[in-house]
Amino acid sequence: MADWKERLGMVYSTNPDFEYNCGEVEEEATLPPAQQKLRVWRDTKGRGGKVATIVRGFVGSTEDLQDLGRMLKQACGVGGSVKEGEIIIQGDHRDRVTALLLQKGYSQTKKV
């Protein structure tokens, strides 16, 4: 990766102990499934009138969120994506997604 691109426009310090911080944010640790408070929504906004099921409220790393999204999409047999901390599944699969999450130990899952 080109580290110098992140430093464009930076004024260098003469302090020998100075360390440049690129502003990288450390990811949160993933909570156990029983402590997650997930909400399952049905949404059509911004999708040309097509229905999507959205899972919100996951606290944890993006890798764990990707894995959960992959599992839900495969179990429902549909497409979807994981964006901005949300799992988006094509179609109205609220009942099935809620049942799958409860089966996986996400006990505080609520269908909204």
Side-chain angles (χ1 to χ4, degrees), residues 16-50:
D17 298 328
F18 179 78
E19 290 185 28
Y20 183 73
N21 182 2
C22 295
E24 296 175 7
V25 179
E26 199 172 299
E27 288 190 5
E28 295 182 47
T30 303
L31 291 176
Q35 294 179 1
Q36 296 276 0
K37 294 182 180 179
L38 300 180
R39 301 292 179 254
V40 182
W41 303 74
R42 177 185 174 272
D43 193 25
T44 58
K45 294 180 184 171
R47 293 175 180 79
K50 295 184 179 180

Side-chain angles (χ1 to χ4, degrees), residues 51-104:
V51 177
T53 302
I54 300 178
V55 180
R56 295 181 179 146
F58 185 84
V59 177
S61 68
T62 53
E63 184 177 317
D64 292 336
L65 182 64
Q66 293 276 349
D67 291 341
L68 181 62
R70 188 176 304 111
M71 183 272 303
L72 291 174
K73 290 186 296 182
Q74 286 178 352
C76 293
V78 295
S81 64
V82 177
K83 295 180 184 174
E84 301 171 2
E86 295 181 340
I87 300 171
I88 302 169
I89 299 172
Q90 296 173 351
D92 187 2
H93 298 281
R94 289 177 293 175
D95 296 330
R96 180 160 184 147
V97 168
T98 303
L100 287 167
L101 290 171
L102 289 172
Q103 183 181 9
K104 290 289 183 182

